[in-house]
Amino acid sequence: MDSLSNDIKALIITTLNLEGMTPDEIETQAPLFGDGLGLDSIDALELGLALKKQYGVILSAENQEMREHFYSVESLARFISVQRG
């Protein structure tokens, strides 16, 4: 899952134009929002679209578990792994 986590980190950097940041600077278990990486709701939408396009995962804003899946890179990697079977 380390490879998937690194791919997600690179996708975050590219999608959100986090220039000057490397995947190594994003902690796998740190929160993506708030005190962690500091992403906001607009970033969440952009990231969600990128994840859907890249991995073909089904995202639902109405699903309360989505917030949990978007907590960290680690939780996103788990979610994508389950979705992909």
Coordinates of all heavy atoms in Angstrom, one line a residue:
M1 N 0.8 -1.2 0.0 CA 0.0 0.0 0.0 C 0.9 1.3 0.0 O 0.4 2.3 -0.3 CB -0.9 0.0 1.2 CG -2.0 1.0 1.1 SD -3.7 0.8 1.5 CE -3.8 -0.4 2.8
D2 N 2.2 1.1 0.3 CA 3.1 2.3 0.2 C 3.1 2.9 -1.1 O 3.2 4.1 -1.3 CB 4.5 1.9 0.7 CG 4.6 1.6 2.2 OD1 3.7 2.1 2.9 OD2 5.6 1.0 2.6
S3 N 3.1 2.1 -2.2 CA 3.1 2.6 -3.5 C 1.9 3.4 -3.8 O 1.9 4.5 -4.4 CB 3.2 1.4 -4.5 OG 3.1 1.9 -5.8
L4 N 0.7 2.9 -3.4 CA -0.5 3.6 -3.6 C -0.5 4.9 -2.8 O -1.0 5.9 -3.3 CB -1.7 2.7 -3.2 CG -3.1 3.3 -3.3 CD1 -3.4 3.8 -4.7 CD2 -4.2 2.3 -2.9
S5 N 0.0 4.9 -1.6 CA 0.0 6.1 -0.8 C 0.9 7.1 -1.4 O 0.5 8.3 -1.5 CB 0.6 5.8 0.6 OG -0.3 5.0 1.4
N6 N 2.0 6.7 -2.0 CA 2.9 7.7 -2.7 C 2.3 8.2 -3.9 O 2.4 9.4 -4.2 CB 4.3 7.0 -3.0 CG 5.1 6.9 -1.8 OD1 5.0 7.7 -0.8 ND2 6.0 5.9 -1.8
D7 N 1.5 7.4 -4.6 CA 0.8 7.8 -5.8 C -0.3 8.9 -5.4 O -0.5 9.9 -6.1 CB 0.1 6.7 -6.5 CG 1.1 5.7 -7.2 OD1 2.3 6.1 -7.3 OD2 0.7 4.6 -7.6
I8 N -1.0 8.6 -4.3 CA -2.0 9.6 -3.8 C -1.4 10.9 -3.4 O -1.9 12.0 -3.8 CB -2.8 9.0 -2.7 CG1 -3.6 7.8 -3.2 CG2 -3.7 10.0 -2.0 CD1 -4.3 7.0 -2.1
K9 N -0.2 10.8 -2.8 CA 0.5 12.1 -2.4 C 0.9 12.9 -3.6 O 0.7 14.1 -3.7 CB 1.7 11.7 -1.6 CG 1.4 11.2 -0.2 CD 2.7 10.7 0.5 CE 2.5 10.1 1.8 NZ 3.7 9.7 2.5
A10 N 1.4 12.2 -4.6 CA 1.8 12.9 -5.9 C 0.5 13.5 -6.5 O 0.6 14.6 -7.1 CB 2.5 11.9 -6.8
L11 N -0.6 12.7 -6.5 CA -1.8 13.3 -7.1 C -2.3 14.5 -6.3 O -2.8 15.5 -7.0 CB -2.9 12.2 -7.1 CG -4.2 12.5 -7.7 CD1 -4.1 12.7 -9.2 CD2 -5.3 11.4 -7.4
I12 N -2.2 14.5 -5.0 CA -2.6 15.7 -4.2 C -1.8 16.9 -4.6 O -2.3 17.9 -4.9 CB -2.4 15.4 -2.7 CG1 -3.5 14.4 -2.2 CG2 -2.5 16.6 -1.9 CD1 -3.3 13.8 -0.8
I13 N -0.4 16.7 -4.7 CA 0.5 17.8 -5.1 C 0.1 18.3 -6.5 O 0.0 19.5 -6.7 CB 1.9 17.3 -5.0 CG1 2.3 17.0 -3.5 CG2 2.9 18.3 -5.6 CD1 3.6 16.3 -3.3
T14 N -0.1 17.4 -7.4 CA -0.3 17.9 -8.8 C -1.7 18.5 -8.9 O -1.8 19.6 -9.5 CB -0.3 16.6 -9.7 OG1 1.0 16.0 -9.6 CG2 -0.5 17.0 -11.2
T15 N -2.7 17.9 -8.3 CA -4.1 18.4 -8.5 C -4.3 19.7 -7.8 O -5.0 20.6 -8.3 CB -5.1 17.3 -7.8 OG1 -4.9 16.1 -8.5 CG2 -6.5 17.8 -7.9
L16 N -3.7 19.9 -6.6 CA -3.9 21.1 -5.9 C -2.8 22.1 -6.1 O -2.7 23.1 -5.3 CB -4.0 20.8 -4.4 CG -5.2 19.8 -4.1 CD1 -5.2 19.4 -2.6 CD2 -6.5 20.3 -4.6
N17 N -1.9 21.9 -7.0 CA -0.8 22.8 -7.3 C 0.0 23.2 -6.1 O 0.3 24.4 -5.9 CB -1.3 24.1 -8.0 CG -2.0 23.7 -9.3 OD1 -1.5 22.9 -10.1 ND2 -3.2 24.3 -9.6
L18 N 0.4 22.2 -5.3 CA 1.2 22.5 -4.1 C 2.7 22.5 -4.6 O 3.5 21.6 -4.3 CB 1.0 21.4 -3.1 CG -0.5 21.2 -2.6 CD1 -0.6 20.1 -1.6 CD2 -1.0 22.5 -2.0
E19 N 3.0 23.6 -5.3 CA 4.4 23.7 -5.8 C 5.4 23.7 -4.7 O 5.2 24.3 -3.6 CB 4.5 25.0 -6.6 CG 3.6 25.0 -7.8 CD 3.6 26.3 -8.6 OE1 4.5 27.1 -8.3 OE2 2.7 26.5 -9.4
G20 N 6.5 23.1 -5.0 CA 7.6 23.1 -4.0 C 7.5 22.0 -3.0 O 8.4 21.8 -2.2
M21 N 6.4 21.3 -3.0 CA 6.1 20.2 -2.0 C 6.4 18.8 -2.7 O 6.2 18.7 -3.8 CB 4.7 20.2 -1.5 CG 4.4 19.2 -0.4 SD 2.8 19.5 0.3 CE 3.3 20.4 1.8
T22 N 7.0 17.9 -1.9 CA 7.3 16.6 -2.4 C 6.4 15.6 -1.6 O 5.9 15.9 -0.5 CB 8.8 16.2 -2.2 OG1 9.0 16.1 -0.7 CG2 9.7 17.2 -2.8
P23 N 6.2 14.4 -2.2 CA 5.4 13.4 -1.5 C 6.0 13.0 -0.1 O 5.2 12.8 0.8 CB 5.5 12.2 -2.5 CG 5.7 12.8 -3.8 CD 6.5 14.0 -3.6
D24 N 7.3 13.1 0.0 CA 7.9 12.8 1.3 C 7.5 13.8 2.4 O 7.5 13.5 3.6 CB 9.4 12.8 1.2 CG 9.9 11.6 0.4 OD1 9.2 10.6 0.3 OD2 11.0 11.7 -0.1
E25 N 7.0 15.0 2.0 CA 6.6 16.0 3.0 C 5.2 15.8 3.5 O 4.8 16.5 4.5 CB 6.8 17.4 2.4 CG 8.2 17.8 2.1 CD 8.3 19.1 1.4 OE1 8.3 19.1 0.2 OE2 8.5 20.1 2.1
I26 N 4.4 15.0 2.9 CA 3.1 14.7 3.3 C 3.1 13.4 4.1 O 3.4 12.4 3.6 CB 2.1 14.5 2.1 CG1 2.1 15.8 1.2 CG2 0.7 14.2 2.5 CD1 1.3 15.7 -0.1
E27 N 2.7 13.6 5.4 CA 2.7 12.4 6.3 C 1.5 11.6 5.9 O 0.4 12.0 5.8 CB 2.6 12.9 7.7 CG 3.8 13.6 8.2 CD 3.7 14.0 9.7 OE1 3.2 13.2 10.5 OE2 4.1 15.1 9.9
T28 N 1.7 10.3 5.8 CA 0.7 9.3 5.4 C -0.5 9.3 6.4 O -1.6 9.2 6.0 CB 1.3 7.9 5.3 OG1 2.4 8.0 4.4 CG2 0.3 6.9 4.7
Q29 N -0.2 9.4 7.7 CA -1.3 9.3 8.7 C -1.8 10.7 9.2 O -2.7 10.7 10.0 CB -0.8 8.5 9.9 CG -0.5 7.0 9.4 CD 0.1 6.2 10.6 OE1 0.7 6.8 11.5 NE2 0.0 4.9 10.4
A30 N -1.2 11.7 8.7 CA -1.6 13.1 9.2 C -2.9 13.5 8.5 O -3.2 13.1 7.4 CB -0.5 14.1 8.9
P31 N -3.7 14.3 9.2 CA -5.0 14.8 8.6 C -4.7 15.6 7.4 O -3.7 16.4 7.3 CB -5.6 15.7 9.7 CG -4.9 15.3 11.0 CD -3.5 14.8 10.6
L32 N -5.6 15.5 6.4 CA -5.4 16.3 5.2 C -6.0 17.7 5.4 O -5.7 18.6 4.7 CB -6.1 15.6 4.0 CG -5.5 14.3 3.5 CD1 -6.3 13.6 2.5 CD2 -4.1 14.5 3.0
F33 N -7.0 17.8 6.3 CA -7.7 19.0 6.5 C -7.4 19.6 7.9 O -6.9 18.9 8.7 CB -9.2 18.8 6.3 CG -9.6 18.3 5.0 CD1 -9.6 16.9 4.7 CD2 -9.8 19.1 3.9 CE1 -9.8 16.4 3.4 CE2 -10.1 18.6 2.6 CZ -10.1 17.3 2.4
G34 N -7.7 20.9 8.0 CA -7.5 21.5 9.3 C -6.0 21.6 9.7 O -5.2 22.1 8.9
D35 N -5.6 21.1 10.8 CA -4.3 21.2 11.4 C -3.2 20.4 10.6 O -2.0 20.7 10.7 CB -4.2 20.9 12.8 CG -5.0 21.8 13.7 OD1 -5.1 23.0 13.3 OD2 -5.4 21.4 14.8
G36 N -3.7 19.5 9.8 CA -2.7 18.6 9.1 C -2.2 19.4 7.9 O -1.5 20.4 8.0
L37 N -2.5 18.9 6.7 CA -2.0 19.5 5.4 C -2.7 20.9 5.2 O -2.2 21.7 4.4 CB -2.3 18.6 4.3 CG -1.6 18.9 3.0 CD1 -0.1 19.0 3.1 CD2 -1.9 17.8 1.9
G38 N -3.9 21.1 5.8 CA -4.5 22.4 5.7 C -5.4 22.5 4.5 O -5.7 23.7 4.1
L39 N -5.9 21.4 3.9 CA -6.8 21.5 2.8 C -8.2 22.0 3.2 O -8.5 21.9 4.4 CB -6.9 20.2 2.1 CG -5.7 19.5 1.7 CD1 -6.0 18.2 0.9 CD2 -4.8 20.4 0.8
D40 N -8.9 22.6 2.2 CA -10.3 23.1 2.5 C -11.3 22.3 1.7 O -11.0 21.4 1.0 CB -10.4 24.6 2.4 CG -10.1 25.0 1.0 OD1 -10.2 24.2 0.0 OD2 -9.7 26.2 0.8
S41 N -12.6 22.8 1.7 CA -13.6 22.1 1.0 C -13.5 22.1 -0.5 O -13.8 21.2 -1.2 CB -15.0 22.6 1.5 OG -15.1 24.0 1.2
I42 N -13.0 23.2 -1.0 CA -12.7 23.3 -2.4 C -11.6 22.3 -2.8 O -11.8 21.6 -3.9 CB -12.3 24.7 -2.9 CG1 -13.3 25.8 -2.5 CG2 -11.9 24.8 -4.3 CD1 -14.7 25.6 -3.2
D43 N -10.6 22.2 -2.0 CA -9.6 21.2 -2.3 C -10.2 19.8 -2.3 O -9.8 18.9 -3.1 CB -8.5 21.3 -1.2 CG -7.7 22.6 -1.3 OD1 -7.6 23.2 -2.4 OD2 -7.2 23.0 -0.2
A44 N -11.1 19.5 -1.4 CA -11.7 18.2 -1.3 C -12.5 17.9 -2.5 O -12.4 16.8 -3.0 CB -12.7 18.2 -0.1
L45 N -13.2 18.9 -3.1 CA -13.9 18.6 -4.4 C -12.9 18.3 -5.5 O -13.1 17.4 -6.3 CB -14.7 19.9 -4.7 CG -15.9 20.1 -3.9 CD1 -16.6 21.5 -4.2 CD2 -17.0 19.0 -4.1
E46 N -11.9 19.1 -5.6 CA -10.9 18.9 -6.7 C -10.2 17.5 -6.5 O -10.0 16.8 -7.5 CB -9.8 20.0 -6.7 CG -10.4 21.4 -7.1 CD -9.3 22.4 -7.1 OE1 -8.2 22.1 -7.5 OE2 -9.6 23.6 -6.7
L47 N -9.8 17.2 -5.3 CA -9.2 15.9 -5.0 C -10.1 14.8 -5.3 O -9.7 13.8 -5.9 CB -8.7 15.9 -3.6 CG -7.9 14.7 -3.1 CD1 -6.7 14.4 -4.0 CD2 -7.5 14.8 -1.7
G48 N -11.4 14.9 -4.9 CA -12.4 13.9 -5.2 C -12.5 13.6 -6.7 O -12.5 12.4 -7.1
L49 N -12.6 14.6 -7.5 CA -12.7 14.5 -8.9 C -11.4 13.8 -9.5 O -11.5 12.9 -10.4 CB -12.9 15.8 -9.6 CG -14.2 16.5 -9.4 CD1 -14.3 17.9 -9.9 CD2 -15.3 15.6 -10.0
A50 N -10.3 14.2 -9.0 CA -9.0 13.6 -9.5 C -8.9 12.1 -9.1 O -8.5 11.3 -9.9 CB -7.8 14.4 -8.9
L51 N -9.4 11.8 -7.9 CA -9.3 10.4 -7.4 C -10.3 9.5 -8.3 O -10.0 8.4 -8.6 CB -9.7 10.3 -5.9 CG -8.7 10.8 -5.0 CD1 -9.3 10.9 -3.6 CD2 -7.4 9.9 -5.0
K52 N -11.5 10.1 -8.5 CA -12.5 9.4 -9.4 C -11.9 9.1 -10.8 O -12.0 8.0 -11.3 CB -13.8 10.2 -9.4 CG -14.9 9.6 -10.2 CD -16.1 10.4 -10.1 CE -17.3 9.7 -10.8 NZ -18.5 10.5 -10.7
K53 N -11.3 10.1 -11.3 CA -10.7 10.0 -12.7 C -9.5 9.0 -12.7 O -9.4 8.2 -13.6 CB -10.3 11.4 -13.2 CG -9.7 11.4 -14.6 CD -9.3 12.8 -15.0 CE -8.7 12.8 -16.4 NZ -8.3 14.1 -16.8
Q54 N -8.7 9.1 -11.7 CA -7.4 8.3 -11.7 C -7.7 6.9 -11.3 O -7.1 6.0 -11.9 CB -6.5 8.9 -10.7 CG -5.2 8.2 -10.5 CD -4.2 8.4 -11.6 OE1 -4.3 9.4 -12.3 NE2 -3.3 7.5 -11.9
Y55 N -8.6 6.6 -10.3 CA -8.8 5.3 -9.8 C -10.2 4.7 -10.1 O -10.4 3.5 -9.7 CB -8.5 5.3 -8.3 CG -7.1 5.7 -8.0 CD1 -6.8 6.9 -7.4 CD2 -6.0 4.8 -8.2 CE1 -5.5 7.3 -7.2 CE2 -4.7 5.2 -7.9 CZ -4.5 6.4 -7.4 OH -3.2 6.8 -7.1
G56 N -11.1 5.5 -10.6 CA -12.4 5.0 -10.9 C -13.2 4.7 -9.7 O -14.1 3.9 -9.8
V57 N -12.9 5.3 -8.6 CA -13.7 5.1 -7.3 C -15.0 5.8 -7.4 O -15.1 6.8 -8.0 CB -12.9 5.4 -6.1 CG1 -11.7 4.5 -5.9 CG2 -12.4 6.9 -6.1
I58 N -16.0 5.3 -6.7 CA -17.3 5.9 -6.6 C -17.3 6.7 -5.3 O -17.1 6.2 -4.2 CB -18.4 4.9 -6.6 CG1 -18.3 4.1 -7.9 CG2 -19.7 5.5 -6.3 CD1 -19.2 2.8 -7.9
L59 N -17.5 8.0 -5.4 CA -17.6 8.9 -4.3 C -19.0 9.5 -4.2 O -19.6 9.8 -5.2 CB -16.6 10.1 -4.5 CG -15.2 9.7 -4.8 CD1 -14.4 11.0 -5.2 CD2 -14.5 9.1 -3.5
S60 N -19.5 9.6 -2.9 CA -20.8 10.1 -2.7 C -20.7 11.2 -1.6 O -20.4 10.8 -0.4 CB -21.8 9.0 -2.3 OG -23.0 9.6 -1.9
A61 N -21.1 12.4 -1.9 CA -21.1 13.5 -0.9 C -22.1 13.2 0.2 O -22.0 13.7 1.3 CB -21.3 14.8 -1.6
E62 N -23.1 12.4 -0.1 CA -24.2 12.1 0.8 C -23.8 11.0 1.8 O -24.4 10.8 2.8 CB -25.4 11.7 0.1 CG -26.0 12.9 -0.8 CD -27.1 12.4 -1.7 OE1 -27.6 11.3 -1.6 OE2 -27.4 13.2 -2.6
N63 N -22.7 10.3 1.5 CA -22.2 9.2 2.4 C -21.4 9.8 3.5 O -20.4 10.4 3.3 CB -21.4 8.3 1.5 CG -21.0 7.0 2.3 OD1 -20.9 7.0 3.5 ND2 -20.6 6.0 1.6
Q64 N -21.9 9.6 4.7 CA -21.2 10.1 5.9 C -19.7 9.6 6.0 O -18.9 10.2 6.6 CB -22.0 9.9 7.2 CG -23.2 10.7 7.3 CD -23.0 12.2 7.3 OE1 -22.0 12.6 7.9 NE2 -23.8 12.9 6.6
E65 N -19.5 8.4 5.5 CA -18.2 7.7 5.6 C -17.2 8.4 4.8 O -16.0 8.3 5.0 CB -18.3 6.3 5.3 CG -19.1 5.4 6.2 CD -19.2 4.0 5.8 OE1 -18.8 3.6 4.7 OE2 -19.7 3.2 6.6
M66 N -17.6 9.2 3.8 CA -16.6 9.9 2.9 C -15.7 10.8 3.7 O -14.5 10.8 3.4 CB -17.4 10.8 1.9 CG -17.5 10.3 0.5 SD -16.3 9.3 -0.2 CE -17.1 7.8 -0.4
R67 N -16.2 11.4 4.7 CA -15.3 12.3 5.5 C -14.2 11.5 6.2 O -13.1 11.9 6.2 CB -16.2 13.0 6.6 CG -15.3 13.9 7.5 CD -16.2 14.8 8.3 NE -16.6 15.9 7.5 CZ -17.2 17.0 7.9 NH1 -17.6 17.0 9.1 NH2 -17.5 17.9 7.1
E68 N -14.6 10.3 6.6 CA -13.6 9.4 7.2 C -12.5 8.9 6.2 O -11.4 8.8 6.5 CB -14.3 8.2 7.9 CG -15.1 8.5 9.0 CD -16.0 7.3 9.5 OE1 -15.6 6.2 9.2 OE2 -17.0 7.6 10.2
H69 N -13.0 8.6 5.0 CA -12.1 8.2 3.9 C -11.1 9.3 3.5 O -10.0 9.0 3.2 CB -12.9 7.7 2.7 CG -13.8 6.6 2.9 ND1 -13.4 5.4 3.6 CD2 -15.0 6.3 2.6 CE1 -14.4 4.6 3.6 NE2 -15.4 5.1 3.0
F70 N -11.5 10.5 3.6 CA -10.7 11.6 3.2 C -9.9 12.2 4.4 O -9.3 13.2 4.3 CB -11.5 12.8 2.6 CG -11.8 12.6 1.2 CD1 -12.7 11.7 0.7 CD2 -11.1 13.4 0.2 CE1 -12.9 11.5 -0.7 CE2 -11.3 13.3 -1.1 CZ -12.2 12.3 -1.6
Y71 N -9.8 11.5 5.5 CA -9.1 11.9 6.7 C -7.6 12.1 6.4 O -7.0 13.1 6.8 CB -9.3 11.0 7.9 CG -8.5 11.4 9.1 CD1 -8.9 12.5 9.9 CD2 -7.4 10.8 9.4 CE1 -8.2 13.0 10.9 CE2 -6.6 11.2 10.5 CZ -7.0 12.3 11.3 OH -6.3 12.7 12.3
S72 N -7.0 11.1 5.8 CA -5.6 11.1 5.6 C -5.2 10.3 4.3 O -6.1 9.7 3.7 CB -4.8 10.4 6.8 OG -5.2 9.0 6.8
V73 N -4.0 10.4 3.9 CA -3.6 9.6 2.7 C -3.8 8.1 3.0 O -4.2 7.4 2.2 CB -2.1 9.9 2.4 CG1 -1.5 8.9 1.4 CG2 -1.9 11.3 1.9
E74 N -3.5 7.7 4.2 CA -3.6 6.3 4.6 C -5.1 5.8 4.5 O -5.4 4.8 3.9 CB -3.2 6.1 6.1 CG -3.3 4.7 6.5 CD -2.8 4.5 8.0 OE1 -3.3 5.2 8.9 OE2 -1.9 3.7 8.2
S75 N -6.0 6.6 4.9 CA -7.4 6.2 4.8 C -7.9 6.3 3.4 O -8.7 5.4 3.0 CB -8.3 7.1 5.7 OG -8.2 8.5 5.4
L76 N -7.4 7.2 2.6 CA -7.7 7.2 1.2 C -7.2 6.0 0.5 O -7.9 5.4 -0.4 CB -7.2 8.5 0.5 CG -8.0 9.7 0.6 CD1 -7.2 10.9 0.0 CD2 -9.3 9.6 -0.1
A77 N -6.0 5.6 0.8 CA -5.4 4.4 0.2 C -6.2 3.1 0.5 O -6.5 2.3 -0.3 CB -3.9 4.2 0.6
R78 N -6.7 3.0 1.8 CA -7.5 1.9 2.2 C -8.8 1.9 1.4 O -9.2 0.9 0.9 CB -7.8 2.0 3.7 CG -7.0 1.1 4.5 CD -7.5 0.9 6.0 NE -8.1 2.1 6.6 CZ -7.4 3.0 7.3 NH1 -6.1 2.8 7.5 NH2 -8.0 4.0 7.8
F79 N -9.4 3.1 1.3 CA -10.7 3.2 0.6 C -10.5 2.8 -0.9 O -11.4 2.0 -1.4 CB -11.2 4.7 0.7 CG -12.4 5.0 -0.2 CD1 -13.6 4.4 0.1 CD2 -12.2 5.8 -1.3 CE1 -14.7 4.7 -0.7 CE2 -13.3 6.1 -2.1 CZ -14.6 5.6 -1.8
I80 N -9.5 3.3 -1.5 CA -9.3 3.0 -2.9 C -9.0 1.5 -3.1 O -9.5 0.9 -4.0 CB -8.1 3.8 -3.5 CG1 -8.6 5.3 -3.6 CG2 -7.7 3.3 -4.9 CD1 -7.5 6.3 -3.8
S81 N -8.2 0.9 -2.2 CA -7.9 -0.5 -2.3 C -9.2 -1.4 -2.2 O -9.4 -2.3 -3.0 CB -7.0 -0.9 -1.2 OG -5.7 -0.4 -1.4
V82 N -10.1 -1.0 -1.3 CA -11.4 -1.7 -1.1 C -12.2 -1.5 -2.4 O -12.8 -2.5 -2.9 CB -12.1 -1.2 0.1 CG1 -13.6 -1.7 0.2 CG2 -11.4 -1.7 1.4
Q83 N -12.3 -0.3 -2.9 CA -13.1 0.0 -4.1 C -12.6 -0.8 -5.3 O -13.4 -1.2 -6.1 CB -13.1 1.5 -4.4 CG -13.9 2.3 -3.5 CD -15.4 2.3 -3.8 OE1 -15.8 2.5 -4.9 NE2 -16.2 2.0 -2.8
R84 N -11.4 -0.9 -5.4 CA -10.8 -1.6 -6.6 C -10.8 -3.1 -6.5 O -10.6 -3.8 -7.4 CB -9.3 -1.1 -6.8 CG -9.2 0.3 -7.2 CD -7.8 0.8 -7.0 NE -7.1 0.7 -8.3 CZ -5.8 0.9 -8.4 NH1 -5.1 1.2 -7.3 NH2 -5.2 0.8 -9.5
G85 N -11.2 -3.6 -5.3 CA -11.3 -5.0 -5.1 C -10.0 -5.6 -4.9 O -9.5 -6.6 -5.0

